[in-house]
């Protein structure tokens, strides 16, 4: 709170003050998967989300077609990723498929970093991205027909590490059509994955703690919630609470918290996130969120505040 007071006191000519409009530390951010179709749905809506009511306030649009997830790095940089059908700036061809991009935290505007696999062999069909806050490593979650995978991603190039030693297979159960839609890490660096179980095996969603060294499931919670095709999860860096939101086909379009003692999700409230009416969805708009992340401090913001302003703030608090 002291930093926020100081930033409000400085003049708008100081570069750090320009960043005041950006989401602050501990702000929950959310992104839709799509707003409409393959080409008409460019610009999935981007929101700040209330952890008290669940209501999503529109911040802007992400200039990609399909966004599977967003994640904030330990240094405060915001990233997103498209799926195998995704494009950036609606560019045709291979240029935008499975693209890692940086996002403006205020508007959601995307800038390309690079493709997960430029060869197109390894493609992201369904999943998420998340940073391990302990190591700073970015990971991607991918769902295939019968298996799920977690693999590290180079945040500077966007390329995934698909070496056999790096890719960890989750639940390689033949005949089980998984829908691993969300991934996040807690403060201790533990990896958590959400299987929404939609659409081929509809049933209550399952939350799982994953061993990153083997891909095995360490802990599993079968919840009572029926969720949709897309979801996002994030741990609050302040309270430690786990938040989840789902959406798109079959989604509830709600924000939830997870009660580890009860082993189930509790509704916080409806997000209100909504796209455009689309003929492919029965003329109805897609609703809900596919990505969630909390903002963490950006050292450069505080580092750019002049020393004189810091000293002034100290004198005023004295």
């Amino acid at each position: 709170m002291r930093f926020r007071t100081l930033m409000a006191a400085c003049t708008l000519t100081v570069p750090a003050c320009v960043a005041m409009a950006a989401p602050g530390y501990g702000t929950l951010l959310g992104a839709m998967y799509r707003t409409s179709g393959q080409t008409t749905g460019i610009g999935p809506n981007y929101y700040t989300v209330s952890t008290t009511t669940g209501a999503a306030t529109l911040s802007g649009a992400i200039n990609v077609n399909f966004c599977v997830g967003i994640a904030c790095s330990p240094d405060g940089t915001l990233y997103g990723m498209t799926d195998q059908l995704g494009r950036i700036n609606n560019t045709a061809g291979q240029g935008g498929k499975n693209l890692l991009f940086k996002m403006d935290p205020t508007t959601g505007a995307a800038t390309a970093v690079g493709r997960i696999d430029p060869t197109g062999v390894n493609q992201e069909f369904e999943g998420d991205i998340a940073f391990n806050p302990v190591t700073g490593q970015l990971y991607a979650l991918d769902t295939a027909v019968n298996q799920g995978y977690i693999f590290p991603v180079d945040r500077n190039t966007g390329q995934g590490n698909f070496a056999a030693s790096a890719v960890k297979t989750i639940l390689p159960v033949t005949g089980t059509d998984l829908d691993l839609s969300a991934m996040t890490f807690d403060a201790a660096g533990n990896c958590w994955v959400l299987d929404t179980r939609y659409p081929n095996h509809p049933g209550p969603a399952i939350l799982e703690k994953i061993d990153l060294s083997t891909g095995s499931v360490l802990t599993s919670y079968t919840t009572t919630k029926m969720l949709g095709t897309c979801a996002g999860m994030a741990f609050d860096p302040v309270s430690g609470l786990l938040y989840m939101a789902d959406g798109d086909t079959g989604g509830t379009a709600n924000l939830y918290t997870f009660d580890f003692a009860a082993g189930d999700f509790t509704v916080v409230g409806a997000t209100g996130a909504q796209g455009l009416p689309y003929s492919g969805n029965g003329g109805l708009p897609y609703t809900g969120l596919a990505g969630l992340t909390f903002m963490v401090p950006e050292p450069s913001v505080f580092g750019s505040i002049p020393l004189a302003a810091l000293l002034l703030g100290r004198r005023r608090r004295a």
Side-chain angles (χ1 to χ4, degrees), residues 4-294:
R4 291 176 182 173
T5 302
L6 174 59
M7 290 174 70
C10 59
T11 65
L12 292 178
T13 57
V14 180
C17 294
V18 177
M20 281 198 305
Y25 173 61
T27 301
L28 181 60
L29 307 177
M32 295 187 71
Y33 170 61
R34 56 184 167 183
T35 54
S36 188
Q38 166 76 13
T39 56
T40 59
I42 186 171
N45 290 339
Y46 169 66
Y47 303 88
T48 58
V49 183
S50 169
T51 57
T52 303
T53 67
T57 301
L58 183 65
S59 295
I62 311 171
N63 51 306
V64 300
N65 291 66
F66 295 105
C67 179
V68 297
I70 57 176
C72 188
S73 69
D75 68 2
T77 305
L78 189 60
Y79 291 84
M81 187 173 68
T82 69
D83 70 1
Q84 88 284 2
L85 298 176
R87 299 172 177 176
I88 189 167
N89 294 324
N90 211 22
T91 302
Q94 298 293 307
K97 294 184 177 181
N98 291 140
L99 187 74
L100 181 72
F101 55 88
K102 291 184 180 181
M103 290 174 57
D104 184 302
T106 304
T107 66
T111 303
V113 175
R115 291 185 63 199
I116 296 296
D117 184 1
T119 68
V121 174
N122 299 284
Q123 296 193 40
E124 188 81 8
F125 292 93
E126 173 70 69
D128 203 354
I129 54 173
F131 280 92
N132 184 331
V134 175
T135 65
Q137 176 63 55
L138 175 63
Y139 288 88
L141 170 70
D142 185 20
T143 299
V145 175
N146 295 322
Q147 296 177 329
Y149 305 93
I150 294 179
F151 54 91
V153 175
D154 188 324
R155 58 181 287 188
N156 296 310
T157 65
Q159 292 192 23
N161 184 347
F162 297 103
S165 60
V167 176
K168 303 305 175 185
T169 303
I170 306 171
L171 298 178
V173 181
T174 301
T176 300
D177 192 357
L178 307 176
D179 193 1
L180 304 180
S181 298
M183 173 177 62
T184 190
F185 288 82
D186 60 29
N190 297 305
C191 180
W192 295 85
V193 167
L194 179 71
D195 184 357
T196 62
R197 305 288 291 164
Y198 188 95
N200 293 322
H201 291 273
I206 301 173
L207 179 67
E208 297 161 332
K209 181 180 177 181
I210 305 299
D211 185 340
L212 275 184
S213 63
T214 64
S216 62
V217 178
L218 299 175
T219 306
S220 180
Y221 297 92
T222 299
T223 74
T224 64
K225 298 299 182 288
M226 305 288 286
L227 303 175
T229 55
C230 295
M233 290 196 305
F235 279 94
D236 187 335
V238 178
S239 69
L241 285 173
L242 174 60
Y243 287 85
M244 182 273 292
D246 78 323
D248 211 69
T249 306
T252 69
N254 288 328
L255 179 72
Y256 301 83
T257 57
F258 191 77
D259 185 333
F260 283 92
D264 205 358
F265 288 106
T266 300
V267 176
V268 176
T271 63
Q274 181 171 300
L276 304 171
Y278 178 52
S279 59
N281 193 38
L284 300 174
Y286 289 108
T287 61
L289 302 173
L292 280 184
T293 191
F294 278 92

